[in-house]
């Protein structure tokens, strides 16, 4: 049986993709800020897609989809920060500053690379273990992610 939360995740994902496409395609003068907002909405839509996949347990059948977009949670704060800076007319951040804001997401990618390139059987057993422990009393990775977003 498909949980009700999967339908909300599917709706959020579809709406996010639609709004992100509109923002990326717009030609208004404040286009740079709209592109940052589009990137933010796209990352949230992909996180909703990951929730949908996890709710329906699709990564157990297609192990390549396991933890595919989990690293994006660490881009929500920086993308919000950069979008607000562009909307308020603050000076652009240098590439080095943008890189510093992306470091937590890159660290999570580095931690997930061994999982992504693991054999399918090993990934399946790890995913089964993850799903067996749901819902955990406290998911410390989500606590860290929420604190990261709140820091911005």
């Amino acid at each position: 049986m498909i949980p009700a939360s999967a339908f909300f995740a599917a709706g959020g994902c579809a709406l996010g993709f639609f709004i992100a496409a509109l923002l990326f395609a717009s030609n208004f003068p404040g286009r740079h800020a709209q592109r940052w907002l589009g990137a933010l909405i796209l990352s949230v839509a992909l996180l909703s897609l990951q929730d949908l996949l996890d709710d329906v347990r699709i990564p157990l059948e297609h192990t390549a989809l396991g933890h595919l977009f989990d690293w994006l949670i660490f881009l929500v704060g920086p993308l919000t920060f950069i979008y607000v800076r562009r909307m308020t007319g603050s000076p652009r951040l240098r590439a080095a500053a943008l890189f510093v804001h992306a470091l937590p997401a890159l660290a999570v990618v580095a931690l997930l690379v061994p999982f992504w390139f693991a054999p399918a059987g090993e990934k399946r057993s790890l995913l089964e273990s993850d799903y067996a422990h749901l819902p955990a009393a406290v998911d410390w990775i989500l606590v860290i992610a929420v604190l990261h977003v709140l820091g911005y």
Side-chain angles (χ1 to χ4, degrees), residues 95-104 152:
L98 290 175
F99 180 74
V100 168
H101 287 286
L103 280 177
Y152 280 95

Side-chain angles (χ1 to χ4, degrees), residues 29-50:
R31 204 164 75 194
H32 295 290
Q34 290 175 354
R35 288 185 179 161
W36 286 110
L37 180 61
L40 172 64
I41 291 174
L42 182 62
S43 67
V44 172
L46 289 172
L47 285 167
S48 293
L49 177 62
Q50 185 69 52

